[in-house]
Amino acid sequence: MLGGMTAYVCSRCQVHSPTSALTWCCPKCRGPWDLDFESRPVPLPSLPSRVNSLWRYTEALPPMPLASEVTLGEGRTPLVPLAEAVSAKLDFLMPTLSFKDRGAVLLAAHALRLARAGVLERVVADSSGNAGTAVAAYAARAGLDCVVYVPDGTSPKKLEQIRAHGARLVEVPGDREATARAARTAADEPGTYYASHVYDPHFLHGTKTYVYELWEELGGRLPDTIVVPVGNGTLLLGAALAVDELHRHGLVGTRPALVAVQARAVSPLATAFHAGADDLTAPADARPTLAEGIAITAPPRARQILRAVRDSGGTFLTVDEDGIRAAQRDLARRGLFVEPTGVACWAAVRAAPPRPGLTVVPLCGAGAKTGLAP
């Protein structure tokens, strides 16, 4: 193991693997890894004097000695009011215009360390657009060879952005799951690091900074409700990690409810949740939806996502295509141009009865990536 590195662990099988290895999943169950890492309390009074990026929460992040070589200043996005008791965090104001930068920077810093050690030759990622763009950008920053697998039919603007960062694109016929299978096959090649926003838990430890920022911005407290869009669940699971850490360290007294939002056209997790299931009962059909970024038919971390929402006292909501269209146009009239996937939470909050206290929704991806929904 490279000095100072943490270890991967499978929460289901308790199998461990050094993070210096390129084993991208549990060899026993083929499930995603978690990270055997203990955060330390982040001292709130010290934060104003720290670097103005997500790296200010260094006690909460896994050791990343090469972070300074890959950072693009990600994080610290604005929190603005949208309606009475509802605020939006503008995570589309990131270097690659989506929240995926929070996790991609940790993947790239880890990959660069492996490359310097002679372990890694190339980085592979799969995505419906935003995660692939973020990995391509941060791989370019790190000087790493990168290949991104995307479904055919991905937004041309997202493809252009990935190519502009120098990554090689592989367009895969079929749905998002077919794309993931193709990338996983490539990830088994020697010298390949699977920079997966789903299977590699470094990504989740990046997305948890979303909640650390809320905690700081709200003066050491959290909203009563945190609403997040869920496809593979990387933002929701990062949020759950942060809430658990902040509560365990005595930095917050109460835990917010986590409300997960899916497109009604592809909502396997919402179906399982409302059926009382602990895991997916069956994959969803791959139906078209404007919210392409969360159209995941069989998320690998389904069990963890369902447990996190239940443990928080939250729930699942679904939104239809008309609701997504209306929410995108409503936000645009408020000065915020957000892609259709990124408006799903606002669509859900507009349609649902108000919850007590402060609710925060993320606006996750810029409208410039997709244009206005037809």
Side-chain angles (χ1 to χ4, degrees):
M1 183 185 294
L2 295 177
M5 278 196 167
T6 50
Y8 292 131
V9 59
C10 175
S11 59
R12 184 173 291 188
C13 306
Q14 297 306 306
V15 172
H16 284 70
S17 173
T19 56
S20 56
L22 296 177
T23 308
W24 58 266
C25 67
C26 172
K28 185 174 180 180
C29 71
R30 302 290 285 179
W33 291 122
D34 290 325
L35 204 60
D36 188 3
F37 165 72
E38 283 292 329
S39 69
R40 292 174 289 122
V42 175
L44 185 64
S46 73
L47 292 178
S49 63
R50 294 191 179 188
V51 62
N52 192 34
S53 73
L54 62 79
W55 296 101
R56 66 203 280 111
Y57 311 112
T58 181
E59 293 89 350
L61 295 171
M64 289 288 166
L66 301 179
S68 62
E69 297 188 39
V70 299
T71 182
L72 293 167
E74 55 288 328
R76 299 286 286 154
T77 55
L79 183 67
V80 301
L82 272 185
E84 185 178 356
V86 180
S87 291
K89 190 153 173 60
L90 310 189
D91 256 27
F92 68 91
L93 299 179
M94 286 277 198
T96 76
L97 308 182
S98 90
F99 87 93
K100 297 291 176 61
D101 292 0
R102 293 186 183 275
V105 67
L106 268 74
L107 296 182
H110 180 58
L112 181 58
R113 196 175 184 189
L114 296 178
R116 295 269 175 89
V119 176
L120 178 152
E121 297 175 12
R122 72 194 65 81
V123 168
V124 165
D126 61 277
S127 169
S128 59
N130 285 338
T133 298
V135 170
Y138 285 93
R141 181 76 165 178
L144 300 172
D145 183 45
C146 182
V147 184
V148 179
Y149 289 73
V150 297
D152 60 0
T154 297
S155 164
K157 294 181 180 181
K158 292 181 180 179
L159 299 182
E160 183 179 9
Q161 192 178 8
I162 292 169
R163 288 192 184 98
H165 292 308
R168 286 174 285 144
L169 265 172
V170 179
E171 296 186 55
V172 179
D175 61 12
R176 181 67 182 80
E177 181 55 32
T179 303
R181 287 194 299 268
R184 290 171 203 154
T185 299
D188 287 328
E189 294 295 319
T192 302
Y193 170 56
Y194 187 25
S196 171
H197 59 294
V198 182
Y199 280 82
D200 193 314
H202 288 101
F203 195 94
L204 304 182
H205 284 268
T207 60
K208 76 182 181 185
T209 60
Y210 175 88
V211 167
Y212 273 91
E213 289 179 19
L214 292 177
W215 169 73
E216 180 183 359
E217 288 159 339
L218 295 173
R221 66 183 183 92
L222 290 175
D224 299 279
T225 304
I226 297 175
V227 186
V228 288
V230 172
N232 278 308
T234 54
L235 184 54
L236 183 135
L237 291 173
L241 268 174
V243 170
D244 285 346
E245 290 174 0
L246 289 164
H247 190 266
R248 186 171 68 250
H249 294 317
L251 297 173
V252 295
T254 58
R255 299 169 182 254
L258 299 177
V259 174
V261 178
Q262 295 208 285
R264 195 162 298 162
V266 184
S267 51
L269 291 164
T271 300
F273 181 88
H274 291 297
D278 294 329
D279 206 340
L280 284 191
T281 51
D285 293 332
R287 297 191 180 101
T289 175
L290 294 168
E292 60 181 6
I294 53 173
I296 308 299
T297 60
R301 293 187 184 269
R303 179 180 290 271
Q304 291 176 303
I305 295 165
L306 292 167
R307 185 173 64 244
V309 173
R310 283 204 179 93
D311 287 352
S312 77
T315 190
F316 271 82
L317 302 174
T318 61
V319 291
D320 62 23
E321 304 304 292
D322 287 343
I324 293 169
R325 288 188 188 91
Q328 189 187 34
R329 285 164 171 76
D330 178 71
L331 285 172
R333 287 191 293 269
R334 297 167 185 259
L336 301 166
F337 189 31
V338 184
E339 69 174 351
T341 299
V343 307
C345 291
W346 179 233
V349 167
R350 292 178 79 212
R355 297 175 69 91
L358 175 64
T359 293
V360 172
V361 301
L363 304 182
C364 298
K369 287 172 170 279
T370 57
L372 200 62

